[in-house]
Amino acid sequence: MQSDFIERPIGTRDYAGCEMTRKRDIEDRLIREFELWGYQSVETPLFEYAETFARGLHRDEDERLLRLFDREGRTIALRPEMTTPVARVAATLLASETLPLRLCYCAKTYNGRGGRVQGSVEVTQAGVELIGDSGPDADAEIIALMVGSLRETGLTEFRFALGHMGFVQALFSVLPPELRTRLRHALIAKDLVAYDAILASETQSAPAGWLEALRVMPRIRGGVDAIEQARSIAFVEAAQQACDEWQDLLAALSEHEVADVVHLDLGLCLDHEYYTGITIEGYADALGQPIAYGGRYDALLAQFGRQAAATGCVVHVERVLAALDESGCGVPVDRLYYGAGTRPVALAVGRELRRLGHRVAVAGITLEQGVDESGVTDTWTPTDPSGAWACLAAGGTLIASDEEFAVVCQEIVRVLGQEGDLRC
Amino acid sequence: MLTIALAKGRILDATARALASAGYPVPNDLAESRRLILEDDSRDVRYLLAKPVDVPAYVEHGAADLGIVGKDVLHEKQADVHELLDLRFGVCRLVVAGWPHTDVGAVKRVATKYPRFTTDYFRRLGRQIEVIDLQGSVELAPLIGLADCIVDLVETGRTLAENGLTPLAELGTVSARLVANRRSYQLRATEVDAFVEALRQRSGGAAS
């Protein structure tokens, strides 16, 4: 018989111990950095009406929603991402707040992954959204903030690729709509073989020079040189405009002193319909999969009744965790044990230790664990090896794992004793 | 250093020839060798010899920067990788095959190593069929009545003929592809592009 109750649903996982400490630490550091840049935390429900997400997501992504029904029978879905709920909040709860709004979050998101067996269903996203600022300075702020936040987590080797949906759309503008969709899907799938094959089969759809430009476009990556290449194939005003924005963005990023960790990727096409301008994808050297993504989505807020340009980026916390060196795991937990009659002392010392910033667990030990009538034998040691430990025996004797911790505990006992808080 | 995952089996010889003519020679005894990792220090590359179905996973997770694998495997695995180049070797037809005079539009059960291709193909025909997912010797299935027909790769068609089966319809052709890990495509762009270019010139020449 299969025992499902003891297993987790596919695509989910548990965190505990050192790994959990590190994960929480990453989340704390990211949020702290976001707030230092003036971003305010928001929280939204774990699930929303499915229509809410349909406003933000590509129609094809519909099947990736994890849906259920509420008590009225309406279809609700676990949030697949945070940008849409945050946009909804910015247009409703925060409707009267002056723009620009700087919002941040760290929240779990869920997706059905379209039937793929592997891959996480549950993803922690830590992200920022800058709403109400349409200029490249806003995109630069988001990217610089992301670079700073990732560095705060301890990550050193990473880069951001920057694309521009406006550029891609401008180059596609000459083509029939159905062809644009097919090409866009090929770019989203990162399938350049299919992309080339589509172009090769559609020689009547655009002038030869334009088709050649479309062919080279997704392969161009680089710094300022890539902008030059982009300009050479920017046949329409909108494409030149995108190049201007890239140029302004790179200039701003160099003033933010992060230009060395970004490059352009002309073919970068993220699979959310709502991106309209600069797109961002981040990669860590230590991990095969992207760790961050985002971009400009100037039309999304209007879907919820508020006209506002916006840009943002999210970090995939679990991937950052995987990319980080596993050394340096959190703060060890100290332990304080009491035997017969020493519980009040131990609890008081525990309170004081915590006030001083120690992480300390207080626990009793029993006769069965090798303790004699007077308290503990001096050969007793706890079985758990992490952190320092001390044991308070009856009569005020104290044995401890190290001298330093013994001195701290004894000092607390002495001071509390003088203040009359302690009866030894 | 670039790490390149190569698919053992069907396309390995052609892969070795293509690499050699692109300026990345690999040892002649590649197919016989039991070694799983081969290093070429002079060109700063390292080859992993993997089972074809595992190549997409090696590349997706970044254990390899690049991979050379058939489109058949790539499509089935749906790995999140960059598909950079059609290498135009290892070309095979993917066909529906069965007893002569089988009506492809009326089959109910299809045995295959390629459930995704198969389901997609019959869905386009407006048919929802039952797929029997087998790992090898797929031809056996219609012989003993396990399935009405099969979907499989055909190079010469000899195995089919020897078992009295015949191709009934063609789903398309597959060939070897060069794929890249997403991180490597961005963070090792110069090395990746140089390798792609070397292979492109070679495969472009072979294509005509």
Side-chain angles (χ1 to χ4, degrees):
Chain A
M1 204 179 82
Q2 207 179 349
S3 47
D4 279 350
F5 71 93
I6 209 164
E7 297 181 356
R8 288 169 283 104
I10 292 166
T12 64
R13 54 157 304 178
D14 301 316
Y15 288 88
C18 179
E19 195 182 23
M20 182 61 217
T21 310
R22 289 170 55 229
K23 180 168 185 270
R24 177 62 55 81
D25 183 52
I26 291 167
E27 293 169 356
D28 289 348
R29 284 167 187 267
L30 289 170
I31 283 288
R32 198 184 318 132
E33 187 69 9
F34 298 164
E35 291 183 343
L36 282 175
W37 283 65
Y39 286 70
Q40 306 210 318
S41 286
V42 290
E43 189 173 283
T44 65
L46 183 58
F47 49 83
E48 308 226 6
Y49 293 121
E51 301 104 274
T52 305
F53 297 118
R55 296 248 160 180
L57 295 172
H58 192 269
R59 229 181 307 120
D60 290 356
E61 274 183 87
D62 219 35
E63 65 187 54
R64 290 200 216 156
L65 291 180
L66 278 180
R67 298 152 188 275
L68 41 151
F69 298 103
D70 70 2
R71 271 180 286 186
E72 279 74 43
R74 293 187 64 173
T75 309
I76 54 180
L78 299 188
R79 58 188 177 209
E81 41 93 19
M82 285 296 288
T83 303
T84 306
V86 169
R88 180 185 57 70
V89 170
T92 54
L93 180 66
L94 305 178
S96 57
E97 303 234 346
T98 342
L99 299 176
L101 287 170
R102 287 179 167 80
L103 303 173
C104 68
Y105 50 83
C106 179
K108 287 198 167 180
T109 60
Y110 297 83
N111 59 74
R113 273 285 159 220
R116 281 197 66 191
V117 180
Q118 41 174 281
S120 311
V121 165
E122 191 179 47
V123 170
T124 311
Q125 293 189 355
V128 287
E129 313 289 347
L130 174 43
I131 295 161
D133 189 336
S134 60
D137 282 3
D139 298 295
E141 174 176 320
I142 292 290
I143 294 160
L145 161 53
M146 274 297 159
V147 172
S149 307
L150 286 173
R151 283 184 180 150
E152 270 305 299
T153 69
L155 205 60
T156 50
E157 301 296 318
F158 62 88
R159 284 190 83 78
F160 282 90
L162 309 176
H164 200 309
M165 280 316 292
F167 187 81
V168 176
Q169 279 157 1
L171 281 204
F172 283 178
S173 62
V174 70
L175 306 169
E178 178 266 347
L179 186 57
R180 280 182 231 169
T181 309
R182 282 166 62 203
L183 288 173
R184 196 170 59 83
H185 281 293
L187 286 185
I188 290 171
K190 300 168 291 302
D191 186 348
L192 292 184
V193 174
Y195 181 85
D196 286 351
I198 296 167
L199 284 179
S201 67
E202 294 284 344
T203 48
Q204 304 304 311
S205 300
W210 199 307
L211 286 173
E212 177 56 19
L214 285 170
R215 202 191 64 76
V216 299
M217 183 265 286
R219 293 177 168 85
I220 300 174
R221 284 158 291 153
V224 181
D225 51 314
I227 301 185
E228 291 312 310
Q229 285 179 274
R231 283 203 188 280
S232 72
I233 56 169
F235 303 130
V236 279
E237 177 58 28
Q240 288 293 348
Q241 224 171 336
C243 293
D244 293 344
E245 283 185 30
W246 264 323
Q247 204 144 4
D248 291 349
L249 178 66
L250 286 194
L253 287 173
S254 103
E255 285 161 25
H256 276 290
E257 301 182 340
V258 297
D260 55 325
V261 291
V262 299
H263 65 262
L264 260 51
D265 175 4
L266 270 54
L268 182 65
C269 228
L270 303 177
D271 62 352
H272 283 289
E273 183 84 321
Y274 54 57
Y275 292 118
T276 53
I278 299 282
T279 48
I280 308 163
E281 200 161 64
Y283 317 86
D285 196 45
L287 200 74
Q289 293 146 323
I291 54 166
Y293 65 89
R296 177 160 286 286
Y297 51 98
D298 289 346
L300 181 61
L301 268 285
Q303 294 285 328
F304 297 103
R306 187 179 192 181
Q307 293 284 347
T311 178
C313 189
V314 298
V315 171
H316 191 314
V317 173
E318 288 83 1
R319 288 189 181 166
V320 173
L321 177 66
L324 277 169
D325 182 9
E326 304 211 352
S327 63
C329 165
V331 185
V333 176
D334 298 333
R335 274 143 314 119
L336 196 59
Y337 298 95
Y338 54 83
T342 58
R343 188 173 66 185
V345 186
L347 293 178
V349 172
R351 282 195 295 275
E352 187 60 16
L353 279 169
R354 289 182 198 114
R355 209 182 56 77
L356 295 171
H358 288 261
R359 297 183 182 200
V360 60
V362 181
I365 43 176
T366 62
L367 291 173
E368 290 77 36
Q369 287 170 310
V371 186
D372 62 26
E373 296 293 326
S374 66
V376 291
T377 58
D378 46 7
T379 54
W380 182 82
T381 55
T383 46
D384 182 345
S386 104
W389 62 269
C391 185
L392 293 159
T397 57
L398 182 137
I399 57 169
S401 60
D402 63 81
E403 189 65 26
E404 200 184 335
F405 193 58
V407 169
V408 171
C409 292
Q410 266 158 349
E411 180 63 12
I412 293 170
V413 172
R414 195 183 62 78
V415 171
L416 293 180
Q418 279 175 358
E419 290 169 357
D421 291 341
L422 213 62
R423 293 170 293 113
C424 273
Chain B
M1 176 185 276
L2 280 180
T3 301
I4 303 164
L6 306 180
K8 289 194 284 194
R10 186 172 69 85
I11 65 166
L12 186 61
D13 286 343
T15 302
R17 282 197 300 276
L19 285 171
S21 64
Y24 291 84
V26 289
N28 290 327
D29 62 344
L30 206 57
E32 288 76 41
S33 170
R34 287 180 179 276
R35 291 177 58 199
L36 301 173
I37 301 176
L38 297 164
E39 297 202 4
D40 182 352
D41 293 331
S42 62
R43 282 162 197 85
D44 211 23
V45 290
R46 180 167 71 152
Y47 302 101
L48 308 182
L49 291 172
K51 217 176 146 175
V53 291
D54 295 336
V55 169
Y58 280 103
V59 177
E60 175 170 344
H61 293 284
D65 300 301
L66 294 164
I68 294 177
V69 65
K71 178 66 180 175
D72 48 332
V73 173
L74 210 51
H75 181 74
E76 287 300 322
K77 288 289 163 189
Q78 289 289 300
D80 189 16
V81 295
H82 286 272
E83 192 173 326
L84 296 179
L85 206 55
D86 183 351
L87 296 167
R88 302 176 193 225
F89 59 77
V91 179
C92 267
R93 292 186 304 144
L94 192 63
V95 301
V96 184
W99 297 111
H101 313 301
T102 306
D103 180 2
V104 175
V107 298
K108 293 192 178 64
R109 304 176 80 182
V110 182
T112 186
K113 282 187 277 188
Y114 306 101
R116 212 185 156 85
F117 269 117
T118 304
T119 314
D120 290 352
Y121 173 75
F122 282 96
R123 188 180 290 147
R124 278 200 303 277
L125 293 183
R127 306 259 321 146
Q128 201 173 350
I129 44 105
E130 183 186 345
V131 173
I132 298 171
D133 189 359
L134 299 179
Q135 292 300 309
S137 300
V138 182
E139 297 82 5
L140 194 55
L143 298 182
I144 56 163
L146 174 63
D148 303 323
C149 64
I150 62 172
V151 168
D152 205 9
L153 283 189
V154 173
E155 237 165 333
T156 61
R158 200 188 306 150
T159 317
L160 286 180
E162 282 177 6
N163 289 291
L165 303 177
T166 180
L168 302 165
E170 188 171 311
L171 279 67
T173 57
V174 297
S175 55
R177 302 292 159 91
L178 177 69
V179 295
N181 171 259
R182 296 186 64 180
R183 175 267 333 264
S184 307
Y185 183 73
Q186 301 288 355
L187 268 58
R188 292 164 204 173
T190 314
E191 291 164 277
V192 168
D193 286 356
F195 189 82
V196 171
E197 204 38 52
L199 272 172
R200 181 201 302 285
Q201 284 173 6
R202 187 252 155 223
S203 73
S208 49

